[in-house]
Amino acid sequence: MINKKVADILYEIADLLELQGVAFKPRAYTRAARNIESLKEDLAEYYDGDRLQDIEGVGKAIEDKIIEMIETGKLEYLDKLYEETPKGLIDVMRVPDIGPKKARKLYDELGVEDLEGLREKAEKGEISKLKGFGDRTEEKILRGIGMLEAVSGRHLMHEMIPLAHEMIQYVRDHADRIETCGSLRRWQETIGDIDILATGDTEVIMDALVGFPHVEEVLARGETKTSVRLIGGIQADIRVVDSESFGAALQYFTGSKEHNVRLRQHAIDSGYKLNEYGLFDKDSQEKVAGETEEAIYETMGMAWIPPELREDHGEIDAALEGRLPDLVTTDDIKGDLQMHSDWSDGRNTMEEMVREAENRGYEYIAITDHSQGLTIANGLTANDLEERMEEIEHVRQNTDVRILNGIEVDIKKDGSLDMDSHVLEEMDIVLGAVHSNFAMDASTQTSRIKEAFSTGLIDIFAHPTGRKIGEREPYALNMNEIISAAVDHGVALEINASPVRLDLDSLDARQAMEAGAKISIGTDAHGIQHLDFMKYGVGVARRAWLECEDVINTYHYEGLMKFLEGRKNG
Ligand SMILES: [Zn+2]
């Protein structure tokens, strides 16, 4: 279904027009978007039948735009709107709870043109004096600005990792050795630039890089370093170093800064000096390692530390004491425990999801469509679930992949579940999730979730904090209490692998593991291509020091069943 995608773009147009202070038109776009969203039939069918204008609110102008989107996958009008709207104002609009109308008002009445201006007015307390802006808003606005600034100039993993890998593939044949470094190699949840390190003939490597098809502009080309701007404004830097120093440079440019500071101190304490060229004996100045990272760590008496752990969160001591974790890898993953089919808001049929799971070599998947209360996602009633069961039975006959009959059930405001308990008891797997009433205070929100756990019906608590990176802050929550309730009730906590969520984040996931909670890494796929998000979830899990036994979807089918049943009987 392309309905959601088209509707989202129409909403975006409405927002930009509203921000520009245009009258009436925004409402027309919003109305068309809403109607398209609630269509049962695929918009493509309307297009094929030449009956787009049958949709309420779609006149000639909007019809033309829908056709352009369907035929070209782009919309010139949207690009034009972005071009003529000041970037700073768009940033202001994106602050949670502001939106286009309030952003316009802030501009008209206080002259706010960008985030800096907004912060100034919020700090001076001028915003709460405006009509329609409450007292609490200023505090919230300041937090929202902080969140946006934290991600500004940074990109989500799924924008960066495939692009970096494509670039490496492209340059690889021209280099002797080549590797990504920086935050990308550490699988940090957002990434600034693509940093690449290589050895070989500098001229040849730089020429190859500059010829990479996604390069839009060469920013600087030097003796050892070239910087380019790629599509989407992403910057990539490539450095060419001597092969005797490759390991030292890789270690140095991978970071993090905190890890490197600690490691250099350890080098000094052990009679060495460490820099980007190598590890040197302090007295003789002789180079004792540098060609490989492994040799550098080993010479200093410790095991090689996986990049995901290099944050100065105890990894150096663990490496010295030989107790680094045996981190989970994508190869360990046996199945995916969160995905949506076209029974709710997924784009693909169950059959198509299963084929993709087969391609990935999975043993099992859970189909976890939304429950009825989530009408915007076409949530399922008990009746729908019965009908869906027939399709599951049918698909099961043609595959070796075990299909778990699952649901992502809404946790309601009072902590009760959005489906009768006898229906949930019949399911193979139940994910509980919060999709509404985000604005509660921490203790109310925590009680709500604990109440849901205490029903004994939830196997996995999905996207536990509700955050969306750069879009929505986590709801207020007492994480310690949630983790200990999860341990008490045997509920697994999810690392949602969707790159905009990555929820739990690595710090919370590590805390959960240390407290004895189990983790499920689920992609929350709404289409077959999203099953590929698993690697981002695994990246978070590795940053959280997780091993296979901590992650229930590394278990073989029987092991997973044992976990689920043990939970129900315990
Ligand atoms: Zn959800």
Side-chain angles (χ1 to χ4, degrees):
M1 295 267 274
I2 53 166
N3 302 22
K4 171 119 180 36
K5 201 170 167 197
V6 170
D8 283 348
I9 291 176
L10 297 178
Y11 281 127
E12 213 173 323
I13 292 174
D15 284 351
L16 289 166
L17 290 170
E18 187 103 59
L19 190 61
Q20 291 185 358
V22 176
F24 307 117
K25 266 170 130 189
R27 215 179 313 157
Y29 279 95
T30 307
R31 186 161 157 258
R34 208 176 295 134
N35 290 333
I36 287 170
E37 228 171 21
S38 63
L39 289 178
K40 286 277 171 209
E41 206 182 325
D42 198 326
L43 202 55
E45 309 263 332
Y46 282 88
Y47 166 80
D48 288 339
D50 198 15
R51 41 191 184 88
L52 285 168
Q53 289 205 35
D54 290 357
I55 302 166
E56 252 191 81
V58 176
K60 179 82 179 96
I62 295 184
E63 182 193 24
D64 286 345
K65 294 186 178 72
I66 297 173
I67 292 175
E68 187 185 335
M69 284 186 253
I70 291 177
E71 290 179 352
T72 69
K74 286 191 236 166
L75 186 60
E76 250 176 57
Y77 180 63
L78 181 68
D79 296 342
K80 186 181 135 250
L81 284 177
Y82 270 110
E83 258 166 49
E84 60 193 31
T85 315
K87 165 107 185 29
L89 271 188
I90 294 174
D91 292 342
V92 171
M93 170 177 92
R94 296 220 161 112
V95 174
D97 289 331
I98 290 197
K101 245 193 209 127
K102 285 186 178 164
R104 181 73 207 181
K105 192 160 178 168
L106 289 163
Y107 174 76
D108 287 340
E109 301 193 15
L110 297 179
V112 169
E113 290 176 349
D114 51 27
L115 289 182
E116 214 24 71
L118 182 64
R119 167 177 284 136
E120 199 187 303
K121 301 292 177 191
E123 279 169 352
K124 283 191 191 151
E126 288 183 35
I127 293 173
S128 52
K129 291 183 201 134
L130 281 188
K131 225 180 133 200
F133 292 78
D135 225 17
R136 267 192 73 207
T137 321
E138 272 163 0
E139 205 190 297
K140 264 182 128 178
I141 285 174
L142 287 170
R143 275 210 315 258
I145 295 171
M147 179 192 77
L148 281 185
E149 282 179 344
V151 295
S152 98
R154 301 190 69 81
H155 304 268
L156 298 176
M157 283 204 203
H158 65 310
E159 301 172 74
M160 298 297 265
I161 290 196
L163 188 61
H165 287 172
E166 200 185 323
M167 188 161 151
I168 287 212
Q169 280 310 326
Y170 191 83
V171 182
R172 184 179 300 276
D173 288 345
H174 307 276
D176 296 337
R177 293 176 72 182
I178 187 160
E179 280 269 11
T180 55
C181 39
S183 52
L184 195 136
R185 185 164 178 245
R186 300 199 317 277
W187 290 79
Q188 215 173 36
E189 60 190 30
T190 61
I191 296 163
D193 309 326
I194 296 176
D195 289 307
I196 290 177
L197 197 67
T199 62
D201 185 322
T202 309
E203 284 298 303
V204 173
I205 293 170
M206 299 305 192
D207 282 344
L209 172 77
V210 168
F212 180 55
H214 297 307
V215 168
E216 288 196 334
E217 192 188 344
V218 178
L219 300 170
R221 182 167 172 162
E223 292 270 293
T224 57
K225 180 181 157 189
T226 291
S227 300
V228 294
R229 189 166 50 77
L230 306 171
I231 45 163
I234 292 167
Q235 186 174 329
D237 297 332
I238 192 162
R239 284 187 180 79
V240 180
V241 298
D242 290 340
S243 78
E244 315 84 77
S245 300
F246 184 78
L250 187 60
Q251 197 290 317
Y252 181 88
F253 289 111
T254 295
S256 66
K257 204 169 106 208
E258 292 76 11
H259 173 85
N260 284 357
V261 165
R262 179 61 70 95
L263 194 68
R264 278 199 299 272
Q265 187 56 50
H266 176 77
I268 292 166
D269 296 345
S270 325
Y272 297 109
K273 200 184 101 194
L274 177 65
N275 61 29
E276 62 185 285
Y277 303 103
L279 183 68
F280 300 86
D281 187 286
K282 205 164 54 185
D283 300 326
S284 68
Q285 302 290 319
E286 193 191 331
K287 188 164 167 174
V288 290
E291 200 168 337
T292 69
E293 263 192 345
E294 285 80 355
I296 290 172
Y297 284 99
E298 277 159 21
T299 308
M300 284 190 283
M302 65 183 90
W304 175 80
I305 299 176
E308 295 92 333
L309 300 185
R310 299 183 194 169
E311 300 290 343
D312 190 23
H313 290 165
E315 70 280 6
I316 291 175
D317 285 342
L320 284 166
E321 291 159 21
R323 51 174 181 82
L324 283 174
D326 184 9
L327 296 178
V328 58
T329 70
T330 43
D331 290 341
D332 296 319
I333 299 294
K334 305 288 190 299
D336 195 330
L337 297 178
Q338 179 168 190
M339 69 186 66
H340 302 259
S341 74
D342 62 356
W343 277 87
S344 62
D345 58 346
R347 281 190 290 280
N348 289 96
T349 62
M350 210 177 290
E351 172 94 34
E352 289 163 339
M353 299 303 274
V354 169
R355 293 295 156 245
E356 185 58 28
E358 284 173 352
N359 291 339
R360 307 184 72 84
Y362 283 162
E363 276 182 36
Y364 51 81
I365 57 171
I367 305 283
T368 56
D369 289 307
H370 290 286
S371 64
Q372 53 204 4
L374 212 60
T375 44
I376 190 165
N378 195 24
L380 305 188
T381 62
N383 254 338
D384 297 331
L385 283 172
E386 259 174 57
E387 281 178 39
R388 195 188 66 167
M389 195 58 213
E390 286 172 29
E391 187 173 327
I392 291 182
E393 293 291 5
H394 177 75
V395 178
R396 276 177 178 165
Q397 286 166 14
N398 296 307
T399 182
D400 292 333
V401 174
R402 310 275 196 147
I403 306 170
L404 277 72
N405 176 28
I407 188 167
E408 182 183 4
V409 68
D410 228 24
I411 296 173
K412 293 200 274 192
K413 197 176 172 184
D414 62 356
S416 66
L417 303 180
D418 177 36
M419 188 62 72
D420 280 346
S421 56
H422 68 270
V423 177
L424 295 176
E425 277 159 9
E426 290 304 307
M427 314 285 305
D428 297 327
I429 191 163
V430 175
L431 274 60
V434 169
H435 291 114
S436 59
N437 298 102
F438 296 128
M440 296 173 164
D441 62 73
S443 87
T444 316
Q445 190 69 270
T446 304
S447 307
R448 169 195 190 180
I449 293 163
K450 282 166 67 180
E451 176 68 28
F453 286 5
S454 73
T455 62
L457 294 164
I458 295 177
D459 298 307
I460 298 171
F461 181 37
H463 44 72
T465 77
R467 70 134 172 206
K468 289 191 171 177
I469 299 171
E471 268 177 55
R472 188 168 76 207
E473 288 185 88
Y475 34 77
L477 202 62
N478 183 333
M479 188 50 78
N480 291 337
E481 272 189 54
I482 295 292
I483 289 172
S484 68
V487 174
D488 289 347
H489 295 284
V491 175
L493 297 173
E494 186 181 62
I495 291 178
N496 191 293
S498 171
V500 67
R501 288 191 183 267
L502 303 178
D503 177 14
L504 297 175
D505 69 15
S506 57
L507 291 177
D508 286 341
R510 183 171 175 189
Q511 192 194 337
M513 172 271 285
E514 283 172 350
K518 295 296 178 198
I519 298 288
S520 166
I521 309 175
T523 61
D524 203 350
H526 284 70
I528 52 171
Q529 69 279 25
H530 296 161
L531 290 180
D532 198 41
F533 290 165
M534 185 57 77
K535 55 179 180 263
Y536 308 125
V538 172
V540 175
R542 290 171 62 84
R543 290 174 60 81
W545 295 52
L546 301 192
E547 303 186 331
C548 284
E549 63 158 300
D550 304 314
V551 180
I552 60 171
N553 55 316
T554 63
Y555 303 170
H556 288 291
Y557 178 74
E558 294 71 26
L560 176 68
M561 285 300 116
K562 224 168 118 190
F563 169 79
L564 293 173
E565 276 153 26
R567 227 194 56 68
K568 281 175 182 119
N569 302 329

